[in-house]
Amino acid sequence: MKVVSVIGARPQFIKAAAVSRALRAAPGVMEVLLHTGQHYDENMSELFFRELELPEPDYNLGIGSGTHGAQTARTLEKVEQVLLQEKPDWVLVYGDTNSTLAGALAAVKLHTPVAHVEAGLRAFNRRMPEEINRVLTDHVSELLFAPTENAVANLRQEGIPEKCIHLVGDVMYDAALYYGEKADGRSQILHHLGLQPGTYILATVHRAENTDAPEHLRAIVEGLAQVAAEIPVAFPVHPRTRKALEAEGLLGLTGARLRLIEPVGYLDMVMLEKHARLIATDSGGVQREAFFYRVPCVTLRGETEWVELVELGWNRLCLPVSGTVVAHAILEMVGKKGAEATPYGNGTAARLIVARLSGEMA
Ligand code: UD1
Ligand code: UDP
């Protein structure tokens, strides 16, 4: 069985690392790794391949950045060429980026079945580019690997046939279990940044709804600056966010206590997450990782796809409408614990996905 895995953005390298290891260990399975090139900076791409021991991509399409239409269209055209050449049995796509949608569309148009990892997530907000990507990808996929019960319920609600839906758990949890321990031995980030465990807040922001809305971006930075007066904040900055902060003249609010750093590798990120007092983020992956390490989290959005974390009390939503609102939400959440539960499976998602793909599991 030949599988083409389409990846292109930072979180997809992490998810694919877990699945790729299982795929390559399965007898009779051949994986062709296709990197679209959506993310291309060294610390947004190559660093992850090295650290996560992902094999070199068989193809790198070098798509780069652009408007949604241009980026998706370029990817669609180039993925199609690879699929015509490789003639795989399955195309495996992850999450909800433009690379996900382009990979899925290229495949179904060639009548190649698509398997979608992280199927069924919904924010019920069609203004999010990710929502469009995930809805469309789910509806052209033949195998939908859902990470949570809520995701399964969303797919049923949309009339996806029951036989296509498989609850397997979250591959990000598999990755956290596998790499989480390695981080302790291999990351020096706390030492480099002069941070003591449990004494700082970790922040990340990159969603279009925050970076492209100056009022939200300002509220987040002002809120983090207020918090930093009490608890220092470490903020690894996505390149998109750095550009927006520069354009809005917000870099002046940052400094030694609200400390902007370049994007970090996964092991450093895990280390920063594990030892944070609280995490403030608009990232889907970081929200779950906060829970994996039992660190309270404030999600800097009005809604989340990972609703179980809010229900359990580990996560609180905060639409960033002003600096004061953001600072209050964060400071109130410091020290909070939620209820114990295992909504993301038991770390066997990758294995279940590979078993289903190779027909071992009905
Ligand atoms: C993309 C995904 C988002 C995901 C995120 C993970 C889409 C629509 N969005 O958002 O769902 O959560 O990846 O990080 O697919 N840039 C660089 N260097 C890079 C990559 C990006 O400078 O290596 C800058 C460029 O200015 C680019 C901007 O970041 O225009 C946005 O990059 P893009 O890949 O379009 O979207 P993300 O915001 O990264
Ligand atoms: N991450 C990382 N370095 C960083 C920021 C994030 O390794 O500087 C990791 C993070 O631990 C998580 C993944 O990237 O595993 C999340 O990706 P991102 O926030 O870019 O996208 P999302 O999950 O929101 O799609």
Side-chain angles (χ1 to χ4, degrees):
M1 179 184 65
K2 190 194 261 190
V3 179
V4 169
S5 301
V6 179
I7 56 180
R10 174 167 69 184
Q12 292 166 336
F13 308 140
I14 297 157
K15 293 166 199 171
V19 178
S20 187
R21 197 170 327 99
L23 265 180
R24 285 162 197 249
V29 177
M30 181 194 170
E31 185 188 34
V32 175
L33 202 56
L34 188 166
H35 185 341
T36 64
Q38 179 173 346
H39 285 176
Y40 45 84
D41 288 348
E42 203 276 336
N43 59 7
M44 295 291 288
S45 174
E46 222 178 289
L47 174 57
F48 291 86
F49 282 76
R50 270 200 316 275
E51 268 195 345
L52 305 174
E53 292 157 12
L54 257 171
E56 281 269 307
D58 297 284
Y59 296 88
N60 188 326
L61 306 182
I63 294 303
S65 306
T67 59
H68 288 288
Q71 190 181 50
T72 311
R74 283 201 302 267
T75 314
L76 177 62
E77 190 172 356
K78 290 198 170 183
V79 172
E80 182 181 62
Q81 287 166 10
V82 174
L83 299 184
L84 284 169
Q85 198 170 315
E86 293 288 345
K87 299 187 176 45
D89 300 294
W90 284 98
V91 169
L92 190 58
V93 297
Y94 294 85
D96 51 23
T97 71
N98 288 343
S99 295
T100 314
L101 176 62
L105 263 183
V108 283
K109 296 266 182 173
L110 294 172
H111 311 297
T112 306
V114 177
H116 185 202
V117 177
E118 230 175 63
L121 296 172
R122 298 291 181 266
F124 303 101
N125 174 0
R126 293 258 168 136
R127 291 187 58 83
M128 282 178 75
E130 292 86 359
E131 187 84 348
I132 303 299
N133 290 342
R134 50 172 94 104
V135 168
L136 294 176
T137 301
D138 281 341
H139 282 260
V140 297
S141 292
E142 201 150 304
L143 278 179
L144 295 97
F145 294 118
T148 62
E149 294 278 5
N150 284 314
V152 171
N154 291 335
L155 294 172
R156 284 190 182 135
Q157 185 75 27
E158 290 174 20
I160 303 273
E162 199 64 35
K163 66 175 191 323
C164 301
I165 306 172
H166 298 273
L167 177 62
V168 292
D170 183 4
V171 291
M172 275 237 160
Y173 185 45
D174 296 21
L177 290 176
Y178 186 82
Y179 296 103
E181 278 183 20
K182 291 189 199 291
D184 288 322
R186 284 170 46 189
S187 170
Q188 300 294 315
I189 187 91
L190 296 188
H191 176 69
H192 287 322
L193 297 177
L195 294 171
Q196 298 300 320
T199 64
Y200 63 90
I201 283 170
L202 175 67
T204 81
V205 176
H206 74 279
R207 292 274 162 200
E209 67 226 58
N210 285 328
T211 58
D212 298 0
E215 66 285 7
H216 284 180
L217 192 63
R218 173 170 288 279
I220 290 171
V221 180
E222 286 179 354
L224 292 175
Q226 285 177 37
V227 169
E230 289 184 39
I231 309 172
V233 179
F235 185 171
V237 189
H238 189 292
R240 169 189 202 124
T241 312
R242 187 172 287 279
K243 284 175 193 154
L245 291 171
E246 275 164 12
E248 294 304 320
L250 290 169
L251 288 174
L253 291 173
T254 68
R257 291 188 66 86
L258 169 50
R259 186 154 165 202
L260 263 52
I261 57 174
E262 288 303 304
V264 295
Y266 182 66
L267 298 181
D268 283 344
M269 189 64 182
V270 165
M271 198 67 176
L272 284 169
E273 289 172 340
K274 267 185 169 180
H275 297 291
R277 201 152 156 200
L278 177 141
I279 296 175
T281 188
D282 60 8
S283 157
V286 177
Q287 280 173 64
R288 271 121 76 210
E289 287 163 357
F291 170 72
F292 300 155
Y293 305 118
R294 300 300 189 265
V295 174
C297 184
V298 171
T299 294
L300 299 164
R301 292 175 50 197
E303 74 265 317
T304 180
E305 301 75 18
W306 306 96
V307 283
E308 49 285 328
L309 294 178
V310 177
E311 286 156 12
L312 289 169
W314 288 100
N315 196 328
R316 172 182 171 164
L317 295 177
C318 173
L319 187 66
V321 289
S322 76
T324 313
V325 163
V326 170
H328 275 163
I330 292 174
L331 292 172
E332 275 174 28
M333 195 67 185
V334 168
K336 290 270 188 335
K337 296 271 172 220
E340 274 307 320
T342 50
Y344 301 116
N346 50 13
T348 55
R351 220 158 12 93
L352 292 172
I353 287 168
V354 174
R356 182 60 197 82
L357 268 178
S358 52
E360 281 170 34
M361 211 177 83

PDB file of all heavy atoms in Angstrom, residues 237-250:
ATOM      1  N   VAL A 237       7.232  34.277  18.803  1.00  0.00           N
ATOM      2  CA  VAL A 237       6.367  35.001  17.857  1.00  0.00           C
ATOM      3  C   VAL A 237       6.382  34.363  16.467  1.00  0.00           C
ATOM      4  O   VAL A 237       7.433  34.261  15.828  1.00  0.00           O
ATOM      5  CB  VAL A 237       6.801  36.475  17.738  1.00  0.00           C
ATOM      6  CG1 VAL A 237       5.765  37.260  16.941  1.00  0.00           C
ATOM      7  CG2 VAL A 237       6.945  37.088  19.104  1.00  0.00           C
ATOM      8  N   HIS A 238       5.217  33.969  16.009  1.00  0.00           N
ATOM      9  CA  HIS A 238       5.011  33.471  14.640  1.00  0.00           C
ATOM     10  C   HIS A 238       5.379  34.614  13.681  1.00  0.00           C
ATOM     11  O   HIS A 238       5.096  35.774  13.970  1.00  0.00           O
ATOM     12  CB  HIS A 238       3.525  33.102  14.529  1.00  0.00           C
ATOM     13  CG  HIS A 238       3.130  32.382  13.275  1.00  0.00           C
ATOM     14  ND1 HIS A 238       3.141  32.980  12.033  1.00  0.00           N
ATOM     15  CD2 HIS A 238       2.680  31.115  13.068  1.00  0.00           C
ATOM     16  CE1 HIS A 238       2.714  32.098  11.127  1.00  0.00           C
ATOM     17  NE2 HIS A 238       2.434  30.966  11.732  1.00  0.00           N
ATOM     18  N   PRO A 239       5.988  34.291  12.526  1.00  0.00           N
ATOM     19  CA  PRO A 239       6.417  35.369  11.619  1.00  0.00           C
ATOM     20  C   PRO A 239       5.270  36.283  11.185  1.00  0.00           C
ATOM     21  O   PRO A 239       5.455  37.498  11.004  1.00  0.00           O
ATOM     22  CB  PRO A 239       7.010  34.622  10.411  1.00  0.00           C
ATOM     23  CG  PRO A 239       6.711  33.174  10.608  1.00  0.00           C
ATOM     24  CD  PRO A 239       6.424  32.966  12.052  1.00  0.00           C
ATOM     25  N   ARG A 240       4.096  35.691  11.033  1.00  0.00           N
ATOM     26  CA  ARG A 240       2.932  36.503  10.654  1.00  0.00           C
ATOM     27  C   ARG A 240       2.636  37.564  11.719  1.00  0.00           C
ATOM     28  O   ARG A 240       2.299  38.710  11.414  1.00  0.00           O
ATOM     29  CB  ARG A 240       1.739  35.544  10.536  1.00  0.00           C
ATOM     30  CG  ARG A 240       0.439  36.216  10.408  1.00  0.00           C
ATOM     31  CD  ARG A 240      -0.708  35.217  10.508  1.00  0.00           C
ATOM     32  NE  ARG A 240      -1.850  35.814   9.871  1.00  0.00           N
ATOM     33  CZ  ARG A 240      -2.525  35.270   8.876  1.00  0.00           C
ATOM     34  NH1 ARG A 240      -2.203  34.096   8.424  1.00  0.00           N
ATOM     35  NH2 ARG A 240      -3.539  35.897   8.332  1.00  0.00           N
ATOM     36  N   THR A 241       2.757  37.143  12.972  1.00  0.00           N
ATOM     37  CA  THR A 241       2.439  38.028  14.091  1.00  0.00           C
ATOM     38  C   THR A 241       3.507  39.122  14.219  1.00  0.00           C
ATOM     39  O   THR A 241       3.185  40.276  14.492  1.00  0.00           O
ATOM     40  CB  THR A 241       2.340  37.190  15.381  1.00  0.00           C
ATOM     41  OG1 THR A 241       1.526  36.058  15.095  1.00  0.00           O
ATOM     42  CG2 THR A 241       1.758  37.978  16.527  1.00  0.00           C
ATOM     43  N   ARG A 242       4.764  38.739  14.005  1.00  0.00           N
ATOM     44  CA  ARG A 242       5.825  39.760  14.082  1.00  0.00           C
ATOM     45  C   ARG A 242       5.561  40.861  13.054  1.00  0.00           C
ATOM     46  O   ARG A 242       5.651  42.046  13.356  1.00  0.00           O
ATOM     47  CB  ARG A 242       7.208  39.136  13.881  1.00  0.00           C
ATOM     48  CG  ARG A 242       8.327  40.136  14.118  1.00  0.00           C
ATOM     49  CD  ARG A 242       9.692  39.505  14.124  1.00  0.00           C
ATOM     50  NE  ARG A 242      10.003  38.720  15.306  1.00  0.00           N
ATOM     51  CZ  ARG A 242      10.424  39.218  16.468  1.00  0.00           C
ATOM     52  NH1 ARG A 242      10.557  40.526  16.623  1.00  0.00           N
ATOM     53  NH2 ARG A 242      10.700  38.422  17.479  1.00  0.00           N
ATOM     54  N   LYS A 243       5.172  40.446  11.847  1.00  0.00           N
ATOM     55  CA  LYS A 243       4.892  41.448  10.807  1.00  0.00           C
ATOM     56  C   LYS A 243       3.739  42.357  11.241  1.00  0.00           C
ATOM     57  O   LYS A 243       3.793  43.574  11.069  1.00  0.00           O
ATOM     58  CB  LYS A 243       4.550  40.758   9.482  1.00  0.00           C
ATOM     59  CG  LYS A 243       5.823  40.224   8.806  1.00  0.00           C
ATOM     60  CD  LYS A 243       5.556  39.425   7.556  1.00  0.00           C
ATOM     61  CE  LYS A 243       6.835  38.685   7.186  1.00  0.00           C
ATOM     62  NZ  LYS A 243       6.673  37.471   6.429  1.00  0.00           N
ATOM     63  N   ALA A 244       2.699  41.759  11.816  1.00  0.00           N
ATOM     64  CA  ALA A 244       1.529  42.547  12.235  1.00  0.00           C
ATOM     65  C   ALA A 244       1.893  43.481  13.393  1.00  0.00           C
ATOM     66  O   ALA A 244       1.453  44.642  13.430  1.00  0.00           O
ATOM     67  CB  ALA A 244       0.390  41.612  12.643  1.00  0.00           C
ATOM     68  N   LEU A 245       2.708  42.994  14.333  1.00  0.00           N
ATOM     69  CA  LEU A 245       3.105  43.830  15.472  1.00  0.00           C
ATOM     70  C   LEU A 245       3.918  45.027  14.980  1.00  0.00           C
ATOM     71  O   LEU A 245       3.728  46.168  15.438  1.00  0.00           O
ATOM     72  CB  LEU A 245       3.934  43.022  16.478  1.00  0.00           C
ATOM     73  CG  LEU A 245       3.197  41.931  17.256  1.00  0.00           C
ATOM     74  CD1 LEU A 245       4.183  41.065  18.047  1.00  0.00           C
ATOM     75  CD2 LEU A 245       2.169  42.541  18.209  1.00  0.00           C
ATOM     76  N   GLU A 246       4.781  44.771  14.001  1.00  0.00           N
ATOM     77  CA  GLU A 246       5.585  45.862  13.424  1.00  0.00           C
ATOM     78  C   GLU A 246       4.669  46.861  12.730  1.00  0.00           C
ATOM     79  O   GLU A 246       4.763  48.064  12.957  1.00  0.00           O
ATOM     80  CB  GLU A 246       6.589  45.296  12.406  1.00  0.00           C
ATOM     81  CG  GLU A 246       7.878  44.804  13.050  1.00  0.00           C
ATOM     82  CD  GLU A 246       8.705  43.904  12.123  1.00  0.00           C
ATOM     83  OE1 GLU A 246       8.393  43.838  10.908  1.00  0.00           O
ATOM     84  OE2 GLU A 246       9.625  43.253  12.644  1.00  0.00           O
ATOM     85  N   ALA A 247       3.755  46.328  11.915  1.00  0.00           N
ATOM     86  CA  ALA A 247       2.877  47.204  11.132  1.00  0.00           C
ATOM     87  C   ALA A 247       2.003  48.069  12.037  1.00  0.00           C
ATOM     88  O   ALA A 247       1.703  49.222  11.717  1.00  0.00           O
ATOM     89  CB  ALA A 247       2.006  46.361  10.202  1.00  0.00           C
ATOM     90  N   GLU A 248       1.584  47.536  13.170  1.00  0.00           N
ATOM     91  CA  GLU A 248       0.697  48.275  14.085  1.00  0.00           C
ATOM     92  C   GLU A 248       1.483  49.079  15.116  1.00  0.00           C
ATOM     93  O   GLU A 248       0.881  49.700  16.014  1.00  0.00           O
ATOM     94  CB  GLU A 248      -0.260  47.305  14.804  1.00  0.00           C
ATOM     95  CG  GLU A 248      -1.259  46.611  13.904  1.00  0.00           C
ATOM     96  CD  GLU A 248      -2.110  47.586  13.092  1.00  0.00           C
ATOM     97  OE1 GLU A 248      -2.519  48.633  13.650  1.00  0.00           O
ATOM     98  OE2 GLU A 248      -2.342  47.316  11.897  1.00  0.00           O
ATOM     99  N   GLY A 249       2.798  49.054  15.044  1.00  0.00           N
ATOM    100  CA  GLY A 249       3.628  49.829  15.980  1.00  0.00           C
ATOM    101  C   GLY A 249       3.470  49.347  17.417  1.00  0.00           C
ATOM    102  O   GLY A 249       3.494  50.147  18.358  1.00  0.00           O
ATOM    103  N   LEU A 250       3.303  48.028  17.603  1.00  0.00           N
ATOM    104  CA  LEU A 250       3.057  47.509  18.954  1.00  0.00           C
ATOM    105  C   LEU A 250       4.314  46.944  19.625  1.00  0.00           C
ATOM    106  O   LEU A 250       4.259  46.545  20.791  1.00  0.00           O
ATOM    107  CB  LEU A 250       1.971  46.418  18.897  1.00  0.00           C
ATOM    108  CG  LEU A 250       0.566  46.940  18.577  1.00  0.00           C
ATOM    109  CD1 LEU A 250      -0.387  45.790  18.267  1.00  0.00           C
ATOM    110  CD2 LEU A 250       0.022  47.775  19.733  1.00  0.00           C
TER     111      LEU A 250
END
